[in-house]
Amino acid sequence: MFCSKGCFFLFLVLLTLNIVARAVEEEEERKNIYTNSWAVEIVGGDEVANRIAEKHGFNNIGQVGSLTGVYHFIHSESPSRSHRSLDHKHRDLINEEEVIDVEQQVVVKRVKRDHVIP
């Protein structure tokens, strides 16, 4: 008898914690503003980067500065700003054999600091 009440109570506690954790996670995700721009690290050079970009509906803008093997992809069919990340696009890219790392770019909010007069 005790186990059934105790187990049920434990189940309710765990369920509540799960719901709260998911709500916090969703709130954190909403704070970010995701762009349709991606940084993709690829082994194999420009030809491989172009092939992967085209295969998944991206435009390869080119190498990012002097970072060897890091390319700037834009997904023109996605909104330029969104509160949700495109996890399925991340999975598609990271599953490519030549792709080392993928990161959807987020908008960085700038905050102007007040001058402090001594």
Side-chain angles (χ1 to χ4, degrees):
M1 189 73 169
F2 174 74
C3 182
S4 64
K5 287 182 181 179
C7 293
F8 182 70
F9 178 73
L10 180 60
F11 170 76
L12 287 178
V13 169
L14 291 175
L15 180 63
T16 303
L17 288 174
N18 187 18
I19 292 170
V20 169
R22 181 67 182 140
V24 168
E25 185 178 293
E26 287 177 1
E27 182 63 30
E28 284 299 315
E29 187 171 288
R30 273 191 231 113
K31 287 181 182 177
N32 286 331
I33 299 175
Y34 295 91
T35 69
N36 62 346
S37 182
W38 300 73
V40 185
E41 187 175 359
I42 297 175
V43 175
D46 294 346
E47 289 180 19
V48 174
N50 289 333
R51 178 182 55 79
I52 291 172
E54 186 176 328
K55 178 179 177 182
H56 296 288
F58 288 90
N59 295 322
N60 179 9
I61 305 304
Q63 184 172 303
V64 177
S66 62
L67 299 174
T68 305
V70 180
Y71 296 88
H72 180 193
F73 285 9
I74 291 184
H75 195 263
S76 57
E77 294 177 14
S78 301
S80 59
R81 302 282 192 270
S82 175
H83 287 284
R84 293 187 161 260
S85 63
L86 297 175
D87 293 333
H88 64 285
K89 289 295 179 187
H90 183 276
R91 280 190 303 275
D92 290 346
L93 290 170
I94 202 71
N95 285 332
E96 290 289 332
E97 187 176 316
E98 300 89 349
V99 174
I100 297 170
D101 195 21
V102 177
E103 186 174 322
Q104 186 175 5
Q105 302 301 290
V106 295
V107 174
V108 178
K109 296 176 185 171
R110 294 177 53 138
V111 178
K112 188 173 181 177
R113 292 183 249 161
D114 292 330
H115 290 302
V116 178
I117 301 173

